[in-house]
Every structure is written in C-alpha cells, then in structure tokens.
Amino acid sequence: MQGFKKLYLPLLIAALVVGCGDKKEGATTEEKGATQVAAKVNGTELTVHQINYALQRIPNLDKDQSKAASLQVVKNLVDQEVLVQKATEDKLDRDPAVVQALDAARRQILAEAYMSRKLGTPTEPSDAEVTDYFNQHPELFSKRKIYRLQEISIKAPKDKHEAIRAQLAASKTLNDFGAWLKAENLPVKAAQGVKPAEQLPLDLLPKLSQMPDGQAMVVNTPEGLLVVVLAGSQAQPVTMEQAKPAIARLLQQQARQKAAKAELDTLKAAAKIEYVGEFVDAGKEAPAAAAPAEPAAAAPAADAAPAADADAISKGISGLK
C-alpha cells in the first residue's frame, strides 16, 4: 500500500484549494448521518464523500483494489487534516503567497470545470475517420521507422543563419562543422539518440522519413538553429489494427481541443478585454510560425558530435506512444 500513499497524498493535499469536501460549519453528525463519517481529527469529521471523490481520481482502480485503496485514502485524509489544522492554527491561510496559490488553483479548477461541462462527453471518431488518418500518415504507421539521430542546437542571431547553413553543407565531417562553430564563438549543444516516429514532431516527420541516411535538416528555433542529422533508420511498420486505439484517442483529443478553442474564442469575443501598460503587447496577434525545416547536405553522420547535453527535438505526438 505504500504506492497508494506516495501517489495520492499529493492529490489529496491539492484538494485543499477547493475546501474540505462535505464539511459544513455548524453541521452535526446527525445531519450528515453516522454512516457518512469516516474519521474525526480533533472533532472535525472526514466523510465518505471525500473518500469517494479521492477514489474517483485514481485511474484504472478495479474492485479488488477499492477496499484497500479506500483505507489508504482515509489515512491520507487524516494526515491532510492534521496538516490543515496546524496550518490554520499558524494562520498560513492568511499568508499572501498561500492566498495567491489558492486563488490561482481555484481559478484553474473553475475554468476546467466550465469547459468540461460545456464540451460534455467526448464522441468516438468513426471508423472512416480513423482509417483516413492512418492513410494520411504513412510515416507514423505503414512506413513507420526507428530513427538514429544526431542533434546540434546552435544559439545564433538571424544574420548568422545563412553562413551556418552554408558551412554545414561545405563541411566534410561534423567535427569540421563543430570546429567552425567553435571558431565563430557560437554556443552549441549536441546529443545523439534513437527515437521512434511517434516521438518526433509531426511537422518534421514527413521530411525526415524521406531523407537518406547521412543527410541533415536545419530547423529554425527561437534562439538560433537546430541541425538534425539522420545517422540511420530502420523500418518498423504498424498495422491498422495496432494503430486504431491510439488514432481514436488522438482524434478525440484534437476534436476536443478544437471545440474548446471555439468556445473560448466565442467567450473572448463577447468580453471586454484590455491589456494595460507593459502588457499591451500580449493583446497583439501572435508572431508568424517559424520557417519549416529545410533538408541540407550534411557531413557523414557517423562522426561524433562536437558537444553534449542537447535538448530533445521538441515533444512528440501525444497519445501515439
């Protein structure tokens, strides 16, 4: 049961932001019913409703585990209540930082609750939609590969980008390219690793899937350029039957995100919103998206990268792992 305690005590403590469940000032045990009281801490009652709420937040909890889990939840609630009472005694609920944290959590919970109620239960995508997604993304499924990559993250101003691209194409090895970057005093981080297709950014994957081994692509980043060298790849396709559950989850998520954005846009259009002072720029349109990746002739991928500890190539596709 140690696992339950480690995982769910933080969740229970987080419940502080929305109050203490079914406790009501001035309520008596008779009003609640004796069966609804699970424990008492210095006279303060902890209820079955609080336990049920916590149990609902435990993913994939089966009936065989529910009894043991409920007992652990009660223990966690008692631990929480002891801390809450001491914190209140020490007037931490009046501490400005605590008040701000509680308010921020309350706002987040209310926003999520509204959107969840507005969107309702997600609808399952049709078989045709799933099949269409499968067919439109062969690089993820029927032509899926495992990629061995080398990444070089270069911090550089925009006026250096063309020179960097030209030098990459002209360098015979990555070591030569790294030496040039060092001579130019350009900060560099690099790494190498193996990534399946679903862990790569979807906007880069189609180009990467068409690249021959040893070629590189150059990607614009907020701080400069990212050079991704394809050191090697291995085909590992996924069938429609294998991919169907993951595709369905992804399409469900995309539809929900689209509906959430539409609802938010509607609400914002009806609201009077004004950004003030140094935050005026927040009200302006977002800058244009970064330029797409451009394949480039690269030095042989077998050469060692010139540095270590690079950031990963962006986050992968959610739900298709």
Side-chain angles (χ1 to χ4, degrees):
M1 294 311 301
Q2 186 66 23
F4 280 119
K5 188 166 185 179
K6 287 183 178 179
L7 182 57
Y8 299 110
L9 183 55
L11 292 180
L12 293 170
I13 291 176
L16 292 174
V17 301
V18 289
C20 298
D22 292 313
K23 292 188 295 180
K24 297 180 181 178
E25 186 177 354
T28 65
T29 302
E30 289 75 22
E31 289 173 332
K32 295 180 181 179
T35 58
Q36 293 184 0
V37 179
K40 296 181 181 180
V41 179
N42 296 324
T44 298
E45 296 172 345
L46 305 175
T47 70
V48 173
H49 294 305
Q50 289 171 274
I51 296 171
N52 291 338
Y53 174 74
L55 290 175
Q56 290 171 5
R57 302 178 71 184
I58 301 176
N60 304 318
L61 181 66
D62 58 43
K63 292 182 179 179
D64 294 336
Q65 295 177 316
S66 60
K67 177 61 176 178
S70 65
L71 294 178
Q72 187 60 55
V73 165
V74 173
K75 293 180 181 179
N76 291 345
L77 278 171
V78 168
D79 292 348
Q80 180 195 57
E81 183 60 31
V82 169
L83 294 171
V84 169
Q85 291 185 16
K86 184 58 179 174
T88 305
E89 179 185 331
D90 291 347
K91 296 182 171 39
L92 290 180
D93 54 336
R94 303 179 188 178
D95 182 279
V98 175
V99 172
Q100 287 184 342
L102 290 172
D103 181 62
R106 175 180 174 276
R107 290 162 60 85
Q108 181 66 25
I109 290 170
L110 284 172
E112 290 177 358
Y114 171 81
M115 196 62 77
S116 178
R117 178 172 294 185
K118 181 67 179 181
L119 299 182
T121 303
T123 57
E124 290 284 342
S126 67
D127 288 343
E129 290 173 320
V130 172
T131 300
D132 187 52
Y133 189 90
F134 181 90
N135 292 334
Q136 287 183 9
H137 297 88
E139 67 278 1
L140 280 172
F141 308 113
S142 60
K143 296 182 180 180
R144 175 179 180 266
K145 296 179 182 178
I146 306 297
Y147 298 91
R148 185 161 56 90
L149 304 172
Q150 292 181 319
E151 308 162 26
I152 306 173
S153 178
I154 308 166
K155 186 175 182 180
K158 288 185 178 181
D159 59 7
K160 285 280 189 179
H161 288 191
E162 285 305 317
I164 293 172
R165 293 174 187 272
Q167 184 61 40
L168 175 64
S171 297
K172 294 182 179 180
T173 68
L174 286 182
N175 283 338
D176 290 344
F177 181 57
W180 180 84
L181 293 171
K182 185 176 181 180
E184 293 291 317
N185 293 319
L186 295 172
V188 171
K189 293 182 180 179
Q192 55 188 353
V194 177
K195 296 179 185 290
E198 63 272 16
Q199 290 183 9
L200 296 171
L202 190 56
D203 56 341
L204 300 185
L205 186 57
K207 293 183 175 66
L208 189 63
S209 67
Q210 300 297 321
M211 284 168 46
D213 293 353
Q215 194 175 32
M217 66 167 60
V218 183
V219 185
N220 291 337
T221 67
E223 293 190 338
L225 296 173
L226 175 66
V227 177
V228 182
V229 183
L230 178 57
S233 61
Q234 178 182 355
Q236 196 171 102
V238 173
T239 66
M240 175 65 179
E241 192 64 26
Q242 292 172 316
K244 186 175 180 178
I247 295 175
R249 287 194 301 271
L250 179 62
L251 292 178
Q252 226 176 26
Q253 182 186 46
Q254 289 178 344
R256 199 166 179 83
Q257 289 174 343
K258 183 178 180 180
K261 184 180 184 305
E263 175 64 15
L264 181 58
D265 288 344
T266 299
L267 294 174
K268 289 172 68 176
K272 183 179 180 180
I273 301 172
E274 183 180 2
Y275 295 93
V276 181
E278 62 180 303
F279 303 104
V280 168
D281 289 344
K284 298 179 180 178
E285 291 185 6
E294 300 178 11
D303 290 273
D309 301 326
D311 294 331
I313 303 178
S314 306
K315 63 182 180 180
I317 304 170
S318 176
L320 290 179
K321 295 181 180 179

